[in-house]
Amino acid sequence: MTKVQKALIIGLALVCLLAVSGKNLQAAGSRDFGAEPEAKAQVSTLALDSMDGLEVKTIQREGLDPVKTTAEVATYRGRRALRVVNEDLLTGASTPTGGQAIAIVKTSDFKDGTIEADVAGGPREGAQPSTRGFVGIAFRIQDHGSRYEAFYLRMTNGRADDQIRRNHSTQYVSEPDFPWNRLRDENPGVYESYVDIDPEAWTRIKIVVAGTKASLYVNGADQPCLIVNDLKLGETHGPVALWAGSDTEAYFSKLTVR
């Protein structure tokens, strides 16, 4: 074999080698750099140690007396938190009005996902003995707070001596058309349930929403304590809010929406 032939063979081998290497490099590059990163779910977190970003509204039923609501930042069990006091039975009144208070997170727009917060509270000072202390989260708010879905806890029911009261520790409502008393009368036991609650401690609640289904989890439990398969407002979207029921002193901390 001549020197020219040897040179040609070596040259062809080098060309083949370079071609194979180039393909390998291109494939490696497409795996490492060409793939789009997975989209991350948006997460919004509020410490609730200030009033920034919140709009507090009082909700009362048509034709009833107004309710007095106070909202401020206070310290509860060593933590700075939002304090909401809803004075339902005003001086001179003979019966409660059934009013509620919500603190709307103004920048939120929630449809499906997860809402978590630490809550605490109970009957406000001077409340009637029948008051349980109602604290929870509202979501998919419509028409500036006139319509919404909500889960809440009856804070003094979880460890009551009366089993019926215990069975009413958690509640789902869809205001204004499906308040708790209508849901209980028409579907006993379907939209409320038992869960253990220490009324003096911070309680972690988590609401998971998908379409017309929502589930409530308490204190990190793996299983929900209340499941609703037919959210009354349908597949809507809207702001999230912190919710306090009648004659209640409520505290809220560490809100996360994802």
Side-chain angles (χ1 to χ4, degrees), residues 32-77:
D32 295 341
F33 308 109
E36 291 292 331
E38 291 185 7
K40 293 183 179 180
Q42 291 187 346
V43 179
S44 176
T45 302
L46 287 177
L48 300 177
D49 54 1
S50 78
M51 298 292 297
D52 294 345
L54 300 176
E55 179 187 3
V56 179
K57 297 177 68 70
T58 298
I59 310 295
Q60 71 245 17
R61 292 192 171 86
E62 187 176 352
L64 297 177
D65 293 333
V67 174
K68 179 183 177 183
T69 298
T70 303
E72 61 185 355
V73 175
T75 299
Y76 182 79
R77 291 193 167 268

Side-chain angles (χ1 to χ4, degrees), residues 67-208:
V67 174
K68 179 183 177 183
T69 298
T70 303
E72 61 185 355
V73 175
T75 299
Y76 182 79
R77 291 193 167 268
R79 187 188 300 183
R80 297 287 284 172
L82 176 68
R83 175 178 181 262
V84 178
V85 180
N86 190 22
E87 298 186 33
D88 187 7
L89 187 61
L90 300 181
T91 303
S94 57
T95 56
T97 69
Q100 303 155 32
I102 56 174
I104 300 173
V105 181
K106 292 187 286 188
T107 59
S108 61
D109 186 12
F110 178 84
K111 182 181 180 183
D112 294 335
T114 301
I115 308 166
E116 294 185 77
D118 289 345
V119 302
R124 71 170 178 88
E125 185 176 353
Q128 293 184 342
S130 59
T131 301
R132 307 307 187 202
F134 314 99
V135 187
I137 299 291
F139 55 97
R140 293 181 173 178
I141 293 171
Q142 308 290 306
D143 303 327
H144 306 287
S146 61
R147 302 173 66 80
Y148 56 82
E149 317 270 21
F151 283 100
Y152 64 85
L153 306 178
R154 293 183 177 93
M155 300 302 294
T156 62
N157 276 9
R159 298 186 179 183
D161 292 334
D162 183 343
Q163 184 60 49
I164 293 179
R165 276 186 61 185
R166 288 191 175 214
N167 295 342
H168 300 161
S169 298
T170 73
Q171 180 74 54
Y172 160 78
V173 293
S174 181
E175 295 287 352
D177 296 329
F178 293 89
W180 69 270
N181 47 351
R182 176 182 175 181
L183 292 173
R184 184 180 293 178
D185 289 344
E186 296 180 358
N187 301 275
V190 175
Y191 297 101
E192 54 191 326
S193 68
Y194 164 74
V195 72
D196 181 38
I197 312 167
D198 180 352
E200 297 183 358
W202 283 107
T203 299
R204 188 69 174 171
I205 61 176
K206 180 174 75 171
I207 300 168
V208 179

Side-chain angles (χ1 to χ4, degrees), residues 184-239:
R184 184 180 293 178
D185 289 344
E186 296 180 358
N187 301 275
V190 175
Y191 297 101
E192 54 191 326
S193 68
Y194 164 74
V195 72
D196 181 38
I197 312 167
D198 180 352
E200 297 183 358
W202 283 107
T203 299
R204 188 69 174 171
I205 61 176
K206 180 174 75 171
I207 300 168
V208 179
V209 182
T212 57
K213 179 176 179 177
S215 302
L216 173 66
Y217 299 77
V218 173
N219 282 334
D222 292 332
Q223 293 296 318
C225 57
L226 182 58
I227 299 172
V228 174
N229 290 309
D230 58 341
L231 294 174
K232 303 305 182 183
L233 292 181
E235 293 195 41
T236 58
H237 66 92

